[in-house]
Amino acid sequence: MVEIVKRVDLIATFDNLKKAGDTVEIRLSDATESNVRSAASRYSQRKKVRLVVAATLGADSIKVMRDS
């Protein structure tokens, strides 16, 4: 059996967070928590914004919120 992996453009997703309080959910089937956290960190440093990444234990998605 072949598993189909959907790629998520995390940078484009983060670019859609225009103002503080904007939130996006990324399913764990689309990206790993580690990938989301590292991409958010790199994005925050480059763009001088603060992104908050929250993953609830047992949840099937990760929430990313623009804090500034």
Side-chain angles (χ1 to χ4, degrees), residues 9-27:
D9 186 350
L10 295 171
I11 301 305
T13 301
F14 299 153
D15 280 339
N16 287 329
L17 302 173
K18 300 293 185 192
K19 59 184 188 275
D22 283 353
T23 304
V24 66
E25 283 191 36
I26 301 167
R27 291 189 326 236

Side-chain angles (χ1 to χ4, degrees), residues 3-5 14-18 21-22 26 30 33 36-37 40-41 48 50 56 58-59 63 66-68:
E3 180 179 346
I4 298 174
V5 177
F14 299 153
D15 280 339
N16 287 329
L17 302 173
K18 300 293 185 192
D22 283 353
I26 301 167
D30 295 334
E33 181 181 350
V36 173
R37 287 187 184 280
S41 175
K48 306 284 192 252
R50 184 163 182 247
T56 306
K63 291 183 183 181
R66 184 171 174 151
D67 195 35
S68 62

Side-chain angles (χ1 to χ4, degrees), residues 35-49:
N35 287 347
V36 173
R37 287 187 184 280
S38 62
S41 175
R42 287 190 309 272
Y43 183 88
S44 294
Q45 290 175 352
R46 278 191 219 128
K47 300 284 186 171
K48 306 284 192 252
V49 299

